[in-house]
Structure formats: structure tokens, C-alpha cells
Amino acid sequence: MDTLPWEAELMRVYLGESDVWGQHPLYRVIVSEARRRGAAGVTVIPGMMGFGASSLMREEAPSGISDDRPIIIEIIDRRERIGALLADLREMLSGSLVTIQTVRVPIYRPGSAGA
């Protein structure tokens, strides 16, 4: 496992749950690629409501079931790895928003099994 420096980068990718790459949900493709590259951490966060550059409203249905909720993918890793990942994902990210910020990482360690 890599040891992160005190500073790392947090990349957030905003997209819709129904966005696909090939025949796979785009958020799953991005998470798989980040994992394959050994990213320090990735979290997918489903949103309740949101819109982006197209002003297309995405929201969870009142039943709680929706096929197009907003999704945020947070990826934390070293600057050079985030940059390389973003360069390779650019083609997939039409209709998306990506932000990158520097973050402090004071703790990074695995949890215990069953915790």
C-alpha cells in the first residue's frame, strides 16, 4: 500500500447515474479504472437532486428509486496519479463536471476486518 504524502489531490467527478461507457455504468468504469491504477481511495456518493451545465434536472424519484440520480465520485491520490487518470478519462466525461483540490491527509490506514 502506498503511503500518501501529507498533501494529496481530491478529484470529484459529477455525473448522472444513467451515464454509460459502452454498456457499463460510467461511475463503475471510473471506479474500476482508479482501482486498477492503485488509487489511494474512491467513494461513489449518490445525490438526491442536482443539475449541471445543460441545466438538466436529475433527481431521485419520490419512491427512492431512480435511474438517473446525480452521482459524485471522489478519488484521492497523489497529484501525478490524479493527473494521469484524468487525462485518460477525458473522453468518457462528456456531460460531466470535474474538480480537483489539494487536501491534507493526516490519517490513511486500512480498517480491521469486521469493524
Side-chain angles (χ1 to χ4, degrees):
M1 174 184 334
D2 279 337
T3 300
L4 285 181
W6 280 92
E7 284 192 354
E9 285 198 339
L10 166 61
M11 177 168 66
R12 285 191 181 104
V13 180
Y14 299 80
L15 46 86
E17 188 174 20
S18 67
D19 293 348
V20 295
W21 183 253
Q23 296 188 357
H24 303 283
L26 181 55
Y27 68 94
R28 289 186 178 273
V29 172
I30 292 170
V31 170
S32 294
E33 183 60 19
R35 186 164 194 234
R36 186 186 71 76
R37 291 168 176 253
V42 179
T43 300
V44 176
I45 304 165
M48 294 176 62
M49 178 181 253
F51 68 91
S54 68
S55 294
L56 172 66
M57 186 63 75
R58 299 176 187 261
E59 63 185 299
E60 185 175 293
S63 65
I65 299 171
S66 174
D67 62 352
D68 199 25
R69 293 180 294 183
I71 297 285
I72 302 168
I73 305 167
E74 293 191 339
I75 304 169
I76 296 179
D77 210 336
R78 295 188 314 250
R79 173 172 288 163
E80 61 274 8
R81 287 177 134 182
I82 291 290
L85 177 61
L86 177 58
D88 290 345
L89 294 179
R90 275 189 192 278
E91 183 182 347
M92 298 178 194
L93 297 174
S94 63
S96 302
L97 168 69
V98 176
T99 63
I100 296 177
Q101 68 188 84
T102 301
V103 294
R104 283 191 57 226
V105 182
I107 298 173
Y108 176 63
R109 57 183 171 228
S112 59

